[in-house]
Amino acid sequence: MISENIYELCRAYTNLDEDDILKIQRMSFCIKSISDIVNADVFIDCPTRDADEAIVVAEAKPINRPSMYQKTVVGELALRENEPAVLRTLDLGIVTKDLKALTQENMNVRQTVSPIENKGKIIGVLIVEKDITEKLNKNKHMEMLTESYEQLTNTLISITEPENSITDHLDEAVIIFDEEGVVRSKNRTADLLYKKLGYKENLIGMDYNNLALDDINFKERISSPAQNECEVHLGKLFFYVKRIVLTDKNLKLVTMIKDITTMKEKEMELILKSVAIKEIHHRVKNNLQTIASLLRLQARRSDNQQTKDALNESMNRILSIATTHELLSKEGLDEVSIKEVISNIKNNAIRYFNAVNKNIEVNVIGDNFKLSSDKATSIALVVNELLQNSMQYAFIDKHFGNIDLIIEKSKIYSTIAVVDNGIGYDINNVRQNSLGLSIVNSIVKDKLNGNINIVSDSRGTKVLFDFKN
């Protein structure tokens, strides 16, 4: 029935000949086994007469986990705009790994696609799909196979027969040992991996103890727990190894090996870059704080109050920028917590602008989320100006007051409001050439691509600005 369906679909939608369709039918018998091994949905797609479309001719769902599909997608079209990996591999005849796609049921997945050839012609593709939300555990660097032992035994035996090439599409080396520790089956990836390690002989018939990547012999291995996973480091190479002791009478052990050398190298590069970035931000922060200290000393030496105020305002602006770099020096990433940035701005403002004999309470309220360093620096400068302005002028005739810094996250634009219960002011009489107001308007408009709104009366002032996430 399945083969007939494949034949009918291929004749209706593709230019494949009888021999091509026969090979696709044969491949379809193997995809259930591969689906169970890799715990993922597996499909075969064939090229249609439209260069931007492929047709799903076969599918298989894993036995040990829920499928991502509610209905069958056999007979559905895969469009280039939704599944670029499928059409790329059909076009170029090369493997496409871990590329994002949109399924026929509008789900986001990641696809690994391998070509199916017949006499040098690409006649279809084998697709392995996994949920895009799946992530590698930080203590494990790959997802290995999970199976009941009897199921895994039957599956591996069926797909490692010489006439079947389905395991050649796996990234993992798969080697099966008998009760004497002798290799009885392996895939092409195993050949390539051990060639990289210097092995020149055929793996079939070789002893486990000559192939083991650690110093544990076969008898010790099969007497250990049924599953064993570890990382192995050999010279400059790194491998992730999983061994499963089987309950089959003849076959006793399956070893699966993943070469994670490239992943480890990239991981090390990221660590080194992260350390370098943290050090750069640390030095920038120290330099900014040194400049702020010089301005503070200069302000103390001045007898002119207007000069002192100007120097203190400049010092606080510099410290607001330093705040972002201080957080980045701890994280080592190009993102910082908006609430932490604003909390540090608040602390600096209280330290330098809270007048004697006045009790002004400043609260940071609302949502917390990550922002890029550039955007966080711009927001820090704006909040600093607004908070500084409130503390200096909103409570001239009051001995106590309250300022709320309110953060609200939305899908596209988020907002920050600086709200005080001070004396208020006439918005129409504000000097348009004020440095603080110029800084705020310029940053909100040019840097944050947002808008600013000011409301003020005798009950206080509310300044709200937004910015694109």
Side-chain angles (χ1 to χ4, degrees):
M1 180 67 181
I2 294 176
S3 296
E4 291 175 1
N5 195 24
I6 291 173
Y7 184 86
E8 291 170 1
L9 288 170
C10 288
R11 295 296 293 175
Y13 291 93
T14 78
N15 290 324
L16 301 182
D17 60 28
E18 298 287 329
D19 189 50
D20 296 332
I21 297 173
L22 180 60
K23 182 158 187 178
I24 293 294
Q25 289 174 326
R26 288 173 179 169
M27 289 289 292
S28 71
F29 298 140
C30 303
I31 63 172
K32 177 56 181 168
S33 297
I34 194 66
S35 175
D36 291 340
I37 286 184
V38 299
N39 269 336
D41 292 287
V42 178
F43 306 88
I44 294 177
D45 285 15
C46 291
T48 67
R49 298 182 181 94
D50 187 328
D52 289 322
E53 295 177 352
I55 181 80
V56 184
V57 298
E59 66 180 5
K61 299 179 180 181
I63 193 172
N64 288 324
R65 66 178 299 169
S67 169
M68 291 184 292
Y69 290 80
Q70 299 297 319
K71 301 177 181 178
T72 180
V73 293
V74 171
E76 297 287 338
L77 293 174
L79 309 181
R80 186 182 296 275
E81 63 191 71
N82 295 333
E83 300 186 52
V86 173
L87 277 301
R88 176 178 182 271
T89 298
L90 284 172
D91 289 343
L92 304 178
I94 60 176
V95 175
T96 303
K97 295 183 179 180
D98 201 35
L99 196 64
K100 183 178 177 182
L102 185 67
T103 71
Q104 288 83 354
E105 295 184 358
N106 293 318
M107 292 184 62
N108 287 316
V109 296
R110 286 201 177 276
Q111 293 180 331
T112 294
V113 186
S114 302
I116 300 172
E117 298 183 21
N118 189 34
K119 300 176 182 177
K121 178 177 68 174
I122 305 301
I123 62 171
V125 289
L126 180 74
I127 306 164
V128 176
E129 284 188 359
K130 294 192 177 183
D131 189 342
I132 199 170
T133 60
E134 288 186 2
K135 295 184 179 179
L136 296 176
N137 186 296
K138 65 179 181 180
N139 294 320
K140 299 179 181 179
H141 301 286
M142 59 166 290
E143 178 179 341
M144 298 298 288
L145 313 175
T146 54
E147 280 279 356
S148 66
Y149 305 145
E150 292 79 3
Q151 175 68 26
L152 181 60
T153 302
N154 295 332
T155 301
L156 289 172
I157 291 171
S158 69
I159 65 171
T160 50
E161 293 298 328
E163 63 270 20
N164 290 327
S165 61
I166 197 72
T167 53
D168 294 336
H169 297 289
L170 293 177
D171 288 334
E172 294 84 8
V174 180
I175 308 173
I176 304 177
F177 299 88
D178 64 16
E179 70 277 8
E180 300 296 329
V182 176
V183 178
R184 292 306 177 197
S185 184
K186 47 78 181 176
N187 65 352
R188 186 184 301 173
T189 308
D191 290 329
L192 296 174
L193 187 146
Y194 276 90
K195 276 186 179 180
K196 189 183 293 186
L197 292 173
Y199 288 73
K200 301 183 185 303
E201 301 175 49
N202 189 333
L203 298 183
I204 297 294
M206 290 189 70
D207 188 86
Y208 173 87
N209 296 330
N210 288 332
L211 296 174
L213 301 181
D214 56 27
D215 57 359
I216 300 177
N217 63 39
F218 182 73
K219 289 184 179 180
E220 292 174 320
R221 180 60 65 196
I222 60 174
S223 64
S224 62
Q227 294 192 49
N228 176 274
E229 303 174 35
C230 65
E231 272 188 20
V232 176
H233 180 203
L234 296 175
K236 295 181 179 181
L237 301 176
F238 292 86
F239 302 101
Y240 194 90
V241 183
K242 182 172 183 177
R243 304 177 184 89
I244 300 178
V245 179
L246 303 174
T247 57
D248 186 81
K249 292 181 180 179
N250 298 316
L251 303 178
K252 284 297 179 184
L253 183 69
V254 176
T255 297
M256 287 158 283
I257 309 168
K258 175 77 173 179
D259 187 343
I260 58 170
T261 304
T262 302
M263 192 183 306
K264 280 287 188 179
E265 290 172 349
K266 290 181 178 178
E267 185 181 87
M268 184 57 65
E269 286 177 12
L270 287 174
I271 291 172
L272 293 174
K273 286 179 180 178
S274 176
V275 171
I277 290 169
K278 288 171 71 174
E279 179 61 24
I280 289 169
H281 285 300
H282 182 71
R283 292 185 183 185
V284 171
K285 179 211 67 169
N286 286 346
N287 290 338
L288 290 171
Q289 288 181 336
T290 299
I291 295 170
S293 297
L294 292 173
L295 291 175
R296 187 185 300 115
L297 289 173
Q298 190 65 40
R300 288 175 180 173
R301 293 170 66 89
S302 175
D303 295 327
N304 186 299
Q305 187 59 42
Q306 194 172 10
T307 301
K308 283 187 175 184
D309 290 342
L311 289 170
N312 282 331
E313 287 176 7
S314 297
M315 175 192 67
N316 215 42
R317 287 173 186 136
I318 292 170
L319 288 175
S320 70
I321 299 173
T323 290
T324 304
H325 288 283
E326 182 177 13
L327 294 174
L328 288 167
S329 71
K330 295 175 182 177
E331 298 290 336
L333 302 172
D334 193 40
E335 289 188 331
V336 291
S337 160
I338 186 62
K339 217 165 190 177
E340 282 191 75
V341 171
I342 292 178
S343 295
N344 286 353
I345 297 297
K346 176 197 81 170
N347 295 335
N348 287 336
I350 290 174
R351 189 178 298 118
Y352 296 111
F353 293 100
N354 204 358
V356 179
N357 299 324
K358 288 187 183 289
N359 183 18
I360 309 300
E361 183 177 349
V362 182
N363 304 301
V364 180
I365 304 168
D367 302 322
N368 190 24
F369 50 94
K370 297 281 188 178
L371 284 174
S372 67
S373 58
D374 184 55
K375 191 161 289 185
T377 299
S378 298
I379 291 172
L381 284 167
V382 173
V383 172
N384 177 71
E385 292 297 327
L386 298 175
L387 179 57
Q388 183 176 298
N389 189 69
S390 285
M391 298 192 74
Q392 285 183 292
Y393 305 114
F395 305 100
I396 291 176
D397 298 327
K398 291 187 174 185
H399 294 292
F400 59 89
N402 191 76
I403 304 173
D404 290 333
L405 307 176
I406 305 169
I407 310 165
E408 185 174 340
K409 188 180 190 307
S410 294
K411 287 185 178 179
I412 301 176
Y413 279 87
S414 296
T415 62
I416 294 177
V418 179
V419 183
D420 68 57
N421 60 353
I423 60 175
Y425 65 95
D426 185 353
I427 298 173
N428 297 320
N429 290 331
V430 176
R431 286 189 302 112
Q432 294 303 311
N433 62 349
S434 163
L435 178 60
L437 183 61
S438 297
I439 289 173
V440 168
N441 285 329
S442 175
I443 292 175
V444 171
K445 180 180 178 182
D446 299 331
K447 292 283 189 180
L448 298 177
N449 297 315
N451 295 296
I452 187 166
N453 184 42
I454 303 174
V455 178
S456 185
D457 56 30
S458 58
R459 293 171 296 177
T461 302
K462 178 179 181 180
V463 183
L464 183 145
F465 67 94
D466 59 12
F467 54 91
K468 199 168 184 179
N469 293 334

